[in-house]
Amino acid sequence: MNFGSSELILNADGSIYHLNLLPEDIADTVITVGDPDRVKLVSQHFDHVELKKGKREFITHTGRINNKRISVISTGIGTDNIDIVLNELDALVNIDLKTRSIRDKKTSLDIVRIGTSGAIQPDIPVDSFILSEYAMGLDSLLHFYDSRHIQHMEIQKAFLENSNWFGGLSDPYVVQCDASLAGRFNSSTMQLGFTATNVGFYGPQGRSLRLGLGDAELNDKLARFRYGDLRITNLEMETSGIYGLAKLLGHRAVSLNAIVANRATTEFSNNPNKHIDKLIAYTLERIVNA
Ligand code: R1P
Ligand code: URA
């Protein structure tokens, strides 16, 4: 099958539409960050930066630490952007952009998110780290793909039956990290977590400035849910999309969260930049040495 020009869109130089990248521009290990300014905070640790490219909010730097080639790419905010980033990264490695056909030999990327997040359980301190073992997508992204086989239906069912979840929303979907990749980053530095991903920072994370909330108990309902030993730990805006699309496309993904806020205790980190810097250093050390 050959993809038509409106399905697989390429720029004049042959690069993929939004990311503005050619296949040779990316490494097999890709770090994703939300903030475009965070890309240089990661690549400043590289021994050598071989490539800097960008378009819109999607900035990419590729380089090496020792002999390990690594790309870091900013996704901007939200699972709508994750749809673009994951599909286009996959196209770069698994579609021949010249013949516009799927390659016989598939390449699996290691995708590591370094992001900020707010805890919803009072005992999770600001300035701690969470590795998202599971993610619950309160966004609807995965429902647009043939994806029921990778969703944890039993957890989803329990959540809908027990949480008094409010109507008019898409059904939450539950997806998992890649356990073997996550193993590299799991240490006493990281708490394992169940991350809820939502479509906004304010109302969808229970924040109300001048607007009333559709459900003032949103965060409490998430925090109260239990499934065996599992409890939802934190809120952010990309992890469910990354886990869902990575799994469907045959890539390995893990999401690492710097907890900068605690929504239950209302605290915010005194130095979020220092905290994210620590997570960057930790992640790179694990990528290179673990
Ligand atoms: C909101 O402030 C943003 O911060 C978190 C959320 O997921 C959302 O993207 O991640 P980043 O710090 O990676 O952007
Ligand atoms: N990022 C989020 O999405 N939520 C928070 O509370 C903090 C960072």
Side-chain angles (χ1 to χ4, degrees), residues 160-172:
L160 286 176
E161 283 173 1
N162 300 324
S163 68
N164 192 23
W165 197 234
F166 58 131
L169 306 175
S170 72
D171 280 356

Side-chain angles (χ1 to χ4, degrees), residues 124-146:
I124 299 177
V126 294
D127 298 338
S128 64
F129 300 113
I130 286 182
L131 184 163
S132 309
E133 189 179 16
Y134 289 88
M136 176 180 282
L138 306 173
D139 62 301
S140 60
L141 176 64
L142 215 62
H143 297 311
F144 290 92
Y145 294 94
D146 177 9

Side-chain angles (χ1 to χ4, degrees), residues 211-238:
L211 297 176
L213 296 172
D215 185 348
E217 283 192 64
L218 169 79
N219 286 4
D220 289 339
K221 287 179 179 176
L222 292 171
R224 274 199 302 265
F225 175 63
R226 294 288 181 280
Y227 186 82
D229 289 341
L230 277 182
R231 60 173 189 165
I232 299 173
T233 46
N234 59 307
L235 266 165
E236 51 71 79
M237 299 178 62
E238 290 85 25

Side-chain angles (χ1 to χ4, degrees), residues 241-282:
I242 295 173
Y243 282 4
L245 294 187
K247 176 76 73 90
L248 290 174
L249 290 162
H251 304 294
R252 307 197 304 172
V254 66
S255 172
L256 307 176
N257 305 269
I259 300 300
V260 294
N262 186 302
R263 305 305 317 294
T265 64
T266 74
E267 289 163 285
F268 191 77
S269 171
N270 288 326
N271 198 339
N273 294 338
K274 185 170 164 207
H275 192 47
I276 196 90
D277 280 344
K278 271 195 195 165
L279 184 57
I280 291 169
Y282 175 82

Side-chain angles (χ1 to χ4, degrees), residues 52 64 71 84 101 156 163 176 215 238 273-274 276 281:
K52 290 185 181 181
R64 279 178 197 269
S71 292
I84 289 172
S101 58
Q156 294 168 202
S163 68
Q176 211 175 341
D215 185 348
E238 290 85 25
N273 294 338
K274 185 170 164 207
I276 196 90

Side-chain angles (χ1 to χ4, degrees), residues 30-214:
V30 180
I31 293 171
T32 68
V33 298
D35 182 355
D37 283 342
R38 199 177 300 148
V39 170
K40 59 179 180 292
L41 299 181
V42 175
S43 71
Q44 73 184 0
H45 294 269
F46 294 177
D47 300 330
H48 166 67
V49 179
E50 69 185 54
L51 172 122
K52 290 185 181 181
K53 281 191 179 176
K55 186 175 173 185
R56 299 180 183 245
E57 58 267 64
F58 309 113
I59 306 299
T60 302
H61 292 180
T62 295
R64 279 178 197 269
I65 302 180
N66 301 337
N67 265 334
K68 180 79 180 166
R69 192 168 182 244
I70 303 168
S71 292
V72 52
I73 182 164
S74 56
T75 64
I77 288 180
T79 53
D80 46 354
N81 280 7
I82 293 303
D83 182 56
I84 289 172
V85 173
L86 269 280
N87 274 291
E88 293 194 3
L89 283 175
D90 180 72
L92 288 171
V93 293
N94 287 320
I95 296 178
D96 184 327
L97 301 185
K98 297 214 163 68
T99 61
R100 299 180 156 274
S101 58
I102 296 173
R103 292 185 190 280
D104 292 334
K105 184 173 173 297
K106 301 293 181 299
T107 297
S108 173
L109 299 170
D110 282 351
I111 298 167
V112 184
R113 169 180 179 267
I114 300 179
T116 60
S117 175
I120 57 169
Q121 302 288 352
D123 61 297
I124 299 177
V126 294
D127 298 338
S128 64
F129 300 113
I130 286 182
L131 184 163
S132 309
E133 189 179 16
Y134 289 88
M136 176 180 282
L138 306 173
D139 62 301
S140 60
L141 176 64
L142 215 62
H143 297 311
F144 290 92
Y145 294 94
D146 177 9
S147 63
R148 289 175 66 84
H149 57 291
I150 66 153
Q151 297 179 28
H152 286 273
M153 292 294 177
E154 66 297 345
I155 307 179
Q156 294 168 202
K157 190 162 166 276
F159 181 76
L160 286 176
E161 283 173 1
N162 300 324
S163 68
N164 192 23
W165 197 234
F166 58 131
L169 306 175
S170 72
D171 280 356
Y173 60 89
V174 175
V175 281
Q176 211 175 341
C177 70
D178 182 277
S180 61
L181 182 61
R184 280 181 157 237
F185 301 94
N186 191 4
S187 76
S188 56
T189 305
M190 286 284 153
Q191 191 170 148
L192 293 182
F194 186 174
T195 297
T197 299
N198 212 344
V199 293
F201 185 80
Y202 289 94
Q205 294 189 27
R207 288 185 173 90
S208 120
L209 298 182
R210 293 211 320 118
L211 297 176
L213 296 172

